[in-house]
Amino acid sequence: MGDLVLKIYPSFEGDFQLSEAGLARPVSGAMIHNYTLSGSRPLQGSQIEIVNLNKTMVDVLVNISYLNGEKVSLMLHPDAPLALLPGETSKWQVVRTYTVLGVEHIWFGIDHLLFVLALIMITKGFKKIVKTITAFTLAHSITLSLAVLGYANLPGPPVEAVIALSIVFLASEMLKLHLGKPSLTAQKPWLVAFSFGLLHGFGFAGALTEVGLPQSEIPLALAFFNIGVELGQIVFVIAVSAFLYLLAYKKNWPEVIKKVPAYAIGTIAAFWTIERFIGFWS
């Protein structure tokens, strides 16, 4: 929540001893905490609670690595801040946890949503929108998979800066469209969506890598994180398309009003670009 760090922390029942392992660090709108836990009995079957979680509006992804190599992943929510710890994570737990994580990542990733919004507003026709969003999905799925599996890598700060710059580009394309000038995105939206989608995939991968994956189920977790991202994206596209369809009934909008979305998106993205480049070089 901006610079505010919520006062939430894990608590284990019984005689388990918990100690922080390094400083907490922010990443993609989340805060990562690492702890070391020790005890005289097995952890499986005991209870974990995130204290004060019920007073917040955030979720907590818990990743536990046992000394014998087993991994456990589960998601806790404000209305369910307690859970019993199982043994090794089941496939269903991985599917559920990482699908939810993917949906939340796209819904709270405002830069990704602004990019998709600009694409929708430039692209005319339902079939063309479907092809464009499919190209974006295919592209970021490729780079997300390659990055998480270790076959490709780009440093996070420059990637985030160029993602913001890609939104500035689309905002300028929106203005060209209003002025009746030739626009690459209007003519070949799928090409622009695919090209920048490759970059956005590295942004998704950075967040997922920081959060962590269950080592025994990496392909499954990766697949359903991607599915979660797509589900969240589909809901957003349907909602925006329906809203724009309703606005289309009023065809005599003043020209000044028609330009507001482009300037608003461009201004926000320009601010992000400057902020991220300054952060990268500082």
Side-chain angles (χ1 to χ4, degrees), residues 21-260:
L23 297 175
R25 65 186 191 280
V27 51
S28 301
M31 184 66 73
I32 307 295
H33 294 267
N34 290 289
Y35 300 89
T36 299
L37 185 71
S38 59
S40 57
R41 62 185 177 87
L43 186 61
Q44 291 91 334
S46 63
Q47 181 176 277
I48 179 176
E49 176 186 5
I50 304 300
V51 179
N52 296 325
L53 184 60
N54 60 337
K55 301 175 184 177
T56 72
M57 297 177 64
V58 303
D59 296 328
V60 172
L61 174 65
V62 180
N63 284 321
I64 297 177
S65 302
Y66 291 108
L67 293 179
N68 65 0
E70 291 182 357
K71 307 282 183 176
V72 171
S73 297
L74 61 151
M75 187 83 78
L76 299 180
H77 311 278
D79 58 349
L82 299 91
L84 289 177
L85 292 170
E88 192 171 357
T89 305
S90 69
K91 293 185 184 298
W92 168 242
Q93 285 176 313
V94 172
V95 168
R96 184 178 58 183
T97 297
Y98 282 87
T99 300
V100 171
L101 195 63
V103 172
E104 291 181 344
H105 183 72
I106 189 68
W107 282 356
F108 292 105
I110 305 300
D111 48 358
H112 299 294
L113 291 183
L114 273 186
F115 183 87
V116 174
L117 173 62
L119 276 178
I120 295 172
M121 297 187 74
I122 293 173
T123 309
K124 303 300 180 184
F126 179 75
K127 288 184 178 180
K128 215 170 186 180
I129 289 176
V130 170
K131 290 179 181 179
T132 302
I133 297 301
T134 300
F136 181 64
T137 296
L138 179 61
H140 71 63
S141 297
I142 291 172
T143 47
L144 169 61
S145 301
L146 290 176
V148 170
L149 295 175
Y151 294 110
N153 186 39
L154 287 177
V159 165
E160 294 299 327
V162 179
I163 285 175
L165 196 59
S166 72
I167 304 171
V168 175
F169 170 77
L170 285 187
S172 68
E173 293 286 277
M174 291 172 68
L175 287 176
K176 286 182 182 179
L177 189 62
H178 287 307
L179 296 174
K181 295 181 179 180
S183 165
L184 174 63
T185 309
Q187 295 170 358
K188 297 182 178 180
W190 63 270
L191 179 60
V192 173
F194 186 85
S195 301
F196 284 123
L198 294 172
L199 189 67
H200 282 246
F202 284 109
F204 290 136
L208 182 57
T209 301
E210 286 285 352
V211 169
L213 290 166
Q215 296 303 303
S216 60
E217 297 289 356
I218 287 180
L220 187 66
L222 174 60
F224 278 90
F225 176 82
N226 214 359
I227 289 172
V229 168
E230 303 322 316
L231 289 175
Q233 187 173 274
I234 288 170
V235 172
F236 178 75
V237 169
I238 292 173
V240 169
S241 299
F243 181 70
L244 293 177
Y245 179 78
L246 292 175
L247 289 181
Y249 278 111
K250 183 174 175 58
K251 300 182 181 297
N252 57 339
W253 290 100
E255 284 300 315
V256 175
I257 299 297
K258 290 180 180 179
K259 295 178 182 178
V260 168

